[in-house]
Amino acid sequence: WFEPLMRNGKLVGAAISQSGSSVFAMPVSLLKRFVDEIKRDVYRPFAELGISYSSLLSPAQRRYAKADDSEEGVWVQEVKETSAFVKDLQPSDILLQVNDIPVSARGSFEHPLWGRISLVGALTDIYAGDKVTLKYMRDGAVKTVTRAIGAYQPELERVPSVIDSNPRYLIFGGLVIQELTEGLLQSWGANWRKRAPLPYLYEDAFHSWPENGGATKVLVLQRVLPLDYNKGYHSMEDSFITEVNGKKIHSFFDLKEALDNPEPGREQFARFRLDPGNDEIILSYKDINKIHAQLRARYGIPTTAAFWKKESP
């Protein structure tokens, strides 16, 4: 959805989504930024603080943090390992100011044109590589730190945001395994925060930040395409793939490597361990390429789909 918003004959923004009676809009200054970047030889990415924070409205919490009653500053919950400030800030610090912008206890600031908006809006005028100064409080002492801020890199998130790439998935014996992304979550529609499976929402809310430099991802058993071959496993959809053939799974690279190396035996089997529940799926490698041909024929799946393939010896 992209609908121009006009005032006095001038473009002031664009509506991009709606929730109930609220419409979310992109301001014209941000649109202008995109247009200006198109004209440049090198694109300047958006910046990211890499700091998770919550409101600091509780009087008891403010006393605990040795803060005054001014209702300024937010409670720092976590600092990403990719943040420029990872060696400076720590949980339970109070973030008071970003550059010259004072932060309220609700995590907002007064914009000269838009009124009171979220602190995230302060980053729209900052480019990756710019120097950013933070003022914060720790144990009642006010400190400042200046760093060159890093770029927002959604592909490094453990649960990546929507980016311009096709979803990563793999089909083995009717098991459709996909990387958990916000794009997948949004496939449940406008109210995906209420309709998506609870385990997905939990991972997105509490474990979405980068781990191990962004290498750790969440792989989910998104669908089981029914065949007699995978009978008994159809109720295990929406589980997380944690281990395959005895190997811990943290990425598609791990998954492919594990499937390429089954345990030895007269008949080889693929063993998938799932979470929650610690359930197991065991499927045979025997005639797996024929099984995949049956799936393509039954469900009209194109030959270009990402089926795991048993290589000829």
Side-chain angles (χ1 to χ4, degrees), residues 22-163:
S22 299
V23 173
F24 299 92
M26 185 180 296
V28 70
S29 59
L30 195 54
L31 298 176
K32 183 177 183 299
R33 172 171 172 164
F34 285 120
V35 173
D36 290 342
E37 288 302 308
I38 292 175
K39 302 175 183 178
R40 294 176 55 87
D41 294 331
V42 178
Y43 174 74
R44 295 176 296 175
F46 283 86
E48 182 182 34
L49 284 177
I51 300 170
S52 174
Y53 57 86
S54 62
S55 64
L56 192 56
L57 296 170
S58 166
Q61 189 176 9
R62 294 192 69 86
R63 291 197 302 272
Y64 176 84
K66 300 180 181 178
D68 57 28
D69 297 328
S70 63
E71 292 198 354
E72 292 184 354
V74 288
W75 180 266
V76 175
Q77 294 177 310
E78 190 176 359
V79 184
K80 287 185 181 181
E81 64 180 38
T82 54
S83 172
F85 303 97
V86 66
K87 295 182 179 180
D88 306 300
L89 269 69
Q90 62 187 34
S92 75
D93 286 345
I94 301 175
L95 180 60
L96 299 169
Q97 191 169 300
V98 177
N99 286 339
D100 297 325
I101 300 173
V103 181
S104 78
R106 298 179 184 273
S108 61
F109 73 100
E110 190 68 30
H111 192 278
L113 294 177
W114 311 329
R116 187 153 292 279
I117 64 170
S118 169
L119 174 60
V120 178
L123 300 179
T124 59
D125 296 326
I126 301 174
Y127 295 88
D130 288 352
K131 293 288 185 68
V132 172
T133 299
L134 301 185
K135 180 186 288 187
Y136 64 99
M137 179 185 294
R138 180 181 300 163
D139 295 327
V142 176
K143 304 181 180 183
T144 60
V145 60
T146 301
R147 301 286 183 193
I149 197 169
Y152 174 52
Q153 302 179 71
E155 69 278 4
L156 295 183
E157 304 286 347
R158 189 164 180 260
V159 180
S161 303
V162 179
I163 54 177

Side-chain angles (χ1 to χ4, degrees), residues 3 49 56 114 202-203 271:
E3 184 176 337
L49 284 177
L56 192 56
W114 311 329
Y202 179 83
E203 288 292 324
R271 296 190 302 110

Side-chain angles (χ1 to χ4, degrees), residues 206-227:
F206 297 104
H207 301 287
S208 63
W209 284 24
E211 295 180 0
N212 302 322
T216 299
K217 305 297 181 184
V218 181
L219 271 59
V220 298
L221 177 58
Q222 228 264 304
R223 288 287 182 271
V224 179
L225 303 175
L227 282 180

Side-chain angles (χ1 to χ4, degrees), residues 154-155 157-160 163 165-170 176-185 200 214-222 250-253 255:
E155 69 278 4
E157 304 286 347
R158 189 164 180 260
V159 180
I163 54 177
S165 62
N166 293 324
R168 301 187 66 180
Y169 73 97
L170 183 71
V176 182
I177 302 170
Q178 185 172 341
E179 197 173 83
L180 180 61
T181 65
E182 287 195 5
L184 175 58
L185 289 167
Y200 292 15
T216 299
K217 305 297 181 184
V218 181
L219 271 59
V220 298
L221 177 58
Q222 228 264 304
H250 302 290
S251 66
F252 259 96
F253 175 82
L255 176 65

